[in-house]
Amino acid sequence: MNANPVTQHFIKRVNATNSVGIDDQLAVEEPLEIRIAYYIDGGKTEKAISVTMRTPGNDEELAVGFLFTEGIIQHAAQIEKVTLPVFRENTVVVTLDSSFEPKLGSLERNFYTTSSCGVCGKASVDAIKTASNYLHFDKPISIDRHILFKLEKQIAQRQDIFETTGGLHASSIFDQNGDFLLLREDVGRHNALDKLIGATLTAGLVPLSQHILLLSGRASFELIQKASMAGIQIVAAIGAPSSLAVQLAEESGITLIGFLKKDKFNVYSGFDRIQEI
């Protein structure tokens, strides 16, 4: 396993008049097998849940976030430990607490997941509408629109690997004042968000109902579904949302913002959470 998220590759850089040979920086993409170990009928069993193409780093957070956003676990307390087996490269094993038996029957996902499409392996549209425990917001959030204008600059300053390779997505979380809290990067946009949610779940911050999620690219259906699982009320994306993402945001009561720049943005749902619009 290449633990470094960046690797070098010799290339020829070409323009209209000449070419030059240089070492270029590439974002690493490798498979990660996510497995769970759990206790059933007095014995311990282990099961492969998914293989996802990801950028190495924060693999434990990725596995925890994946299990949470898929609805397999609901709380960090249901996890006994997370390990990276020494003799099994590109594998992470999440051992569940002995008192908790996961419900795996509803997990209709094929074994392989690409870095670009987290739901490509889903068996049906109904199967990807994972039920969230945080659909009803007990404490509403309302923010000044000018807070959103300063988010893009903050995420750009902290995308270290993207700055080097130009090849990664980022998910970042801010408080309701627009102050930066945490960022995770990955070659897959859904992996970046799973890493972020896994980190916040482990830190005891979920539900993230008083936070703002910023996506470095477009807002897809699955990213809104994952945000809903974490109780996020406001999702902002640098790129465009899909029609299904907007539909799910409306159904989930999420404020969805797209095309976020330093001086403008579009609001697609949940208008009441943004002041003065």
Side-chain angles (χ1 to χ4, degrees):
M1 178 179 66
N2 187 347
N4 195 327
V6 178
T7 187
Q8 285 191 343
H9 184 77
F10 179 79
I11 66 168
K12 285 292 186 75
R13 182 161 290 168
V14 181
N15 60 31
T17 58
N18 61 15
S19 66
V20 59
I22 62 169
D23 285 328
D24 194 24
Q25 305 292 314
L26 302 178
V28 173
E29 181 179 32
E30 290 184 346
L32 178 69
E33 181 179 358
I34 299 174
R35 303 180 65 87
I36 61 170
Y38 57 99
Y39 298 87
I40 185 171
D41 297 330
K44 187 177 181 181
T45 187
E46 189 173 302
K47 181 180 179 65
I49 296 298
S50 181
V51 172
T52 185
M53 300 301 295
R54 97 308 186 192
T55 300
N58 307 112
D59 289 339
E60 298 95 328
E61 295 173 355
L62 171 56
V64 170
F66 175 84
L67 294 179
F68 176 75
T69 58
E70 289 291 336
I72 297 175
I73 63 171
Q74 292 75 45
H75 310 285
Q78 293 168 334
I79 297 175
E80 178 182 299
K81 61 181 178 179
V82 184
T83 55
L84 301 172
V86 176
F87 301 109
R88 282 190 286 175
E89 291 188 347
N90 290 313
T91 301
V92 58
V93 179
V94 180
T95 301
L96 303 181
D97 186 80
S98 59
S99 63
F100 174 66
E101 184 177 331
K103 294 180 174 60
L104 303 178
S106 61
L107 186 65
E108 299 181 43
R109 179 187 287 273
N110 289 339
F111 192 64
Y112 172 75
T113 303
T114 71
S115 58
S116 61
C117 179
V119 298
C120 295
K122 290 289 191 174
S124 68
V125 172
D126 290 338
I128 57 182
K129 290 187 176 179
T130 309
S132 171
N133 292 323
Y134 306 114
L135 287 178
H136 303 289
F137 305 113
D138 296 328
K139 188 177 180 182
I141 181 174
S142 176
I143 64 171
D144 188 295
R145 62 177 175 175
H146 294 94
I147 287 175
L148 294 161
F149 294 145
K150 67 179 184 178
L151 300 187
E152 182 190 19
K153 182 178 180 180
Q154 292 191 68
I155 196 174
Q157 292 173 337
R158 293 175 170 88
Q159 273 195 266
D160 297 333
I161 304 175
F162 178 84
E163 185 69 24
T164 303
T165 67
L168 292 187
H169 297 280
S171 291
S172 185
I173 202 79
F174 299 80
D175 67 18
Q176 57 185 313
N177 296 315
D179 294 326
F180 171 83
L181 297 177
L182 190 66
L183 177 145
R184 290 292 182 265
E185 291 182 287
D186 197 274
V187 70
R189 56 173 61 87
H190 63 286
N191 288 336
L193 184 50
D194 273 340
K195 288 179 178 180
L196 182 71
I197 292 176
T200 56
L201 182 71
T202 303
L205 298 177
V206 174
L208 298 169
S209 57
Q210 300 301 300
H211 298 76
I212 305 166
L213 172 64
L214 180 62
L215 307 172
S216 65
R218 65 182 180 88
S220 64
F221 174 93
E222 188 185 29
L223 297 184
I224 301 303
Q225 179 260 323
K226 291 179 182 294
S228 173
M229 292 295 288
I232 298 170
Q233 299 186 54
I234 300 177
V235 178
I238 303 300
S242 69
S243 62
L244 202 55
V246 173
Q247 178 183 330
L248 182 59
E250 290 179 333
E251 292 175 357
S252 304
I254 291 174
T255 297
L256 178 56
I257 294 159
F259 295 107
L260 177 64
K261 307 299 180 186
K262 63 181 180 179
D263 58 354
K264 61 183 178 180
F265 56 82
N266 296 341
V267 185
Y268 294 85
S269 62
F271 308 114
D272 58 319
R273 292 197 183 93
I274 311 301
Q275 300 167 12
E276 300 178 9
I277 64 170

